[in-house]
Every structure is written in C-alpha cells, then in structure tokens.
Amino acid sequence: MKLLLILPKSERGWWGKVSRSGKAGFVRLNLPTIAALTPEDWEVEILDNRVKPVDYSARPDLVGITGFTSEIPWAYEIADKWRDRGVKVAMGGVHVSAMPDEALTHCDAVVIGEAELVWAGLLDDLKAGRLKKKYKAERLCGMKGMAIPRRDLLDRKMFSSFYTLQATRGCPFNCDYCAVTAFFGNEFRVRPVDDVIEEIKGFNAKEFFFMDDNIVGRAKYAKELFTKLIPLGVRWGSQASITMAKDDELLRLYAKSGGKYAFIGLESLSQKNLDKMHKGWNSAKGFKESIAKIHDAGINIVGSFVFGLDDDDPTVFKTTLDFIMETKLDAAQFHILTPLPGTVTYGVLEREGRIIDRDWAKYHTGEVVFRPKGMTAEELQAGYYWIFKQTYSMKSILKRSLRSRAGLVYRLAANFSYRKKALLMPDVPGL
Ligand code: SF4
C-alpha cells in the first residue's frame, strides 16, 4: 500500500515563502510524524509542495494532506484533484480540526485533533474498505516514547532549518486569538527529558530549533532539559514566554545550554489589550525590564506584535516602533489580528458581525479580514506595512543589531531575512 503525504504551498502572505535559493524554512513535524505512525507495510512518501510540484500521474492508495488556515485553499485544490482521479484523501491539522465539515467537502476522511491515537485505525479501515468520515482521539496522547519524525523521508537540501523537534506540547496559557490551546487542549504536556536528548544526539548536528509553543512553559522541566543540553555543546532557539525573565536560573540555563534566541509574543504595549485577550500575565509595564534581562543573559529576542486589537488606534504603529528602537529589540514579527477558526477571537468577531472576508488564503496574519474598532481596515493594513518597512530599514537594522557583539551573526541573519519580506510590501505614503 502506498501513502502520499502532502504539505501544500501558500501563494499569498509573507511567512511561507521559499527563499531565493528555493529552500523552505523550518521542517514542519506534522507529516514526518504521521509517516512515523504509519505501519511498516506501507510505502510512504512526503511531498512538501513548497519545494516540489505534485505529480498527479502517481497512483497512491491514500493521500494525506494538512495545512494552516492560510494554506487550506491550496490543500483543498490538491485534495479535489486527487479525488477526481479516484484516489482517497484524508486531511488533518489545525484548520481541518476546527472546520471538519468544510474539509469533508474536499476529502473522504478527517482527523480531528492529534493523529497519534487514530491514524493506524484510519489506515486499517481504509484497507478493509470501511473508511469513516471522522476520526477523533478521545484523549490527548502522552509524549513518553512518542514517534520520532521520519526526517529520512525529507530532502535535507530543501530546508534552511532541517533539525526541528518537540519537547513539549501546548501552552499553559490560553490567549484568545491563539490556535495552540484550541488544538492541543489546555494540558501542557512534556516529553521525558532523556527522550529529547536522545533525539538531539541522533541529529549529529550542532544546531536545531524546538518547535514548542513555549519551551519554558514549565520552568522545572525546562531547567532539567537545559541542564542536560549543556554537555552537548549545541546551539538552539525556540518560542518562549517573557515570564522567563522573572527566573534568573532559568535564564542562565537557557543561555548556557546554547539557547541563542527566543521568539517571544509581546503582542501589545496596551495592558488593556493584553487583559482583554487573556494575556494579562504579560505585563506591558514590565516589558522593558524583562527585555533588558534577557539581553543581559546573552539571548536574542524576536518579539511578536499583533495589531488591530480593540484598544489600538492609528498611533499604535509609531508607539510600537519607538519601543522596538528604544529596547533595541533584536528582531520583530508583526501580525494583523486574524480570527483563526477554532479560536475564541473567531467566535467573538463572528458574533459581533466583524468578519469581513472569509477567503482563508488571506488568513496569514498580514491582511485585514475583520473590521477593527479603533481605526479603519485601510489604516490597519497601511500601518502594518509601514512598521515592517521602518523596522527593517538599514538604519534600524544596524542600530539594533550593533547593540553588542555577542549574537551579532544571529541578529543580522534574522534582520536581513525579515528585510527581504519588508521589501516585497507596498510603500505607504503619508505615514
Ligand atoms: S502564550 Fe503564546 S502559545 Fe501560549 S496561548 Fe498565548 S499566544 Fe498561544
């Protein structure tokens, strides 16, 4: 039996683009994990459509497709083409789990939530000719002894960050606009530290990225993990919450174990916004001090900001840029508030009748798809382009990057990679 797993490309937005050298960014672990969960009597192929076209002349017994909300139109297009050729298609992932009935108009079966506990059953049902429409695990799976993603099925040359892994799942927080808790549930799960260390040793590489949503979500676990990473002499990055600045030992171990950078969701400088999105534990007042502490520990920060929240008006872009320059934030990611299906934000904006565009292709957090409160949709879109361009002007890059010699290479690489995206955006006169 042949299984073809496909990750679609997205032809809109700034994040999923392949680089000029034709490489995709980070290896996403979903399909390599599904491959690892597939019994040995199946022949498995993974096709990352970001870097390779789909060959519809092949004859797999099953096609499995996943994708973020912004990729889902292309996922559906691929699914439709396979079904036109008589091939069964199963879909899963964050978007499909939130919108299973929509997905079922394009495929034969959906996996709702994590696939670990239901995937083998789906394959058995297919073989026996009794494929059901919906497969939903009744509980979250444990992380002990979890399947190691089949990286051997990927072409290493096609990715700029090949070694990615997961030590934890979920996040102890529950921010309204975030799909993490909606998908992974409220439980923050951790993998045995020794399992993580073994997987890293198997990389035979000195640099990797934790795909975790919050690597410091449980401080005690993070400290144990970081302590065991120290002898490996590796370099790594992850997403983390700014709460780590409150724990000196955690910060020290993060840096000492090779943690060179952290993606941190600052989201908004307005405490009112943070409170409203249930991110009140992120204290806007304490941001400057926390950033300074993380910098002093030797860790670069890529801060993430969301615009279009209810307390934002057109001044938010200039205020945020001033903050980035004053704190010498190493890099910043900007997002327009996007009501991803399955999130609290989606439910609220839907009830308030403020969702103005349901073209999922635009749900890549760089286009306005809802009616903001404190400014027009046009002002929000223009402000997003403006702050991106200002932050990644040469003057800004140099001023922030040269704050210290330590970690300079990482800072410059990150800034020039974001600058490429900024240069693709339209100029905004008058801002
Ligand atoms: S802290 Fe980050 S990952 Fe956790 S729920 Fe909030 S936005 Fe999502």
Side-chain angles (χ1 to χ4, degrees), residues 171-175 177-181 213-214 241 267 279 281:
C171 176
F173 303 117
N174 195 1
C175 309
Y177 59 87
C178 178
V180 168
T181 322
D213 293 297
N214 186 357
S241 56
E267 322 303 12
K279 205 159 184 166
W281 47 269

Side-chain angles (χ1 to χ4, degrees), residues 342-361:
T343 61
V344 174
T345 298
Y346 181 87
V348 170
L349 293 180
E350 173 89 321
R351 271 197 304 283
E352 294 177 353
R354 291 167 63 196
I355 299 183
I356 53 175
D357 199 325
R358 285 173 197 277
D359 177 355
W360 300 133

Side-chain angles (χ1 to χ4, degrees), residues 233-253:
V234 288
R235 299 176 296 278
W236 57 273
S238 181
Q239 298 184 90
S241 56
I242 194 140
T243 48
M244 74 176 180
K246 293 197 181 110
D247 188 330
D248 290 340
E249 189 193 7
L250 184 63
L251 271 190
R252 186 181 60 78
L253 290 171

Side-chain angles (χ1 to χ4, degrees), residues 172 186 319 342 380 414:
N186 262 331
T319 312
L380 176 54

Side-chain angles (χ1 to χ4, degrees), residues 377-393:
E378 291 73 24
E379 283 171 324
L380 176 54
Q381 188 68 65
Y384 170 83
Y385 292 142
W386 180 83
I387 193 165
F388 228 117
K389 285 187 174 275
Q390 294 293 318
T391 304
Y392 294 107
S393 69

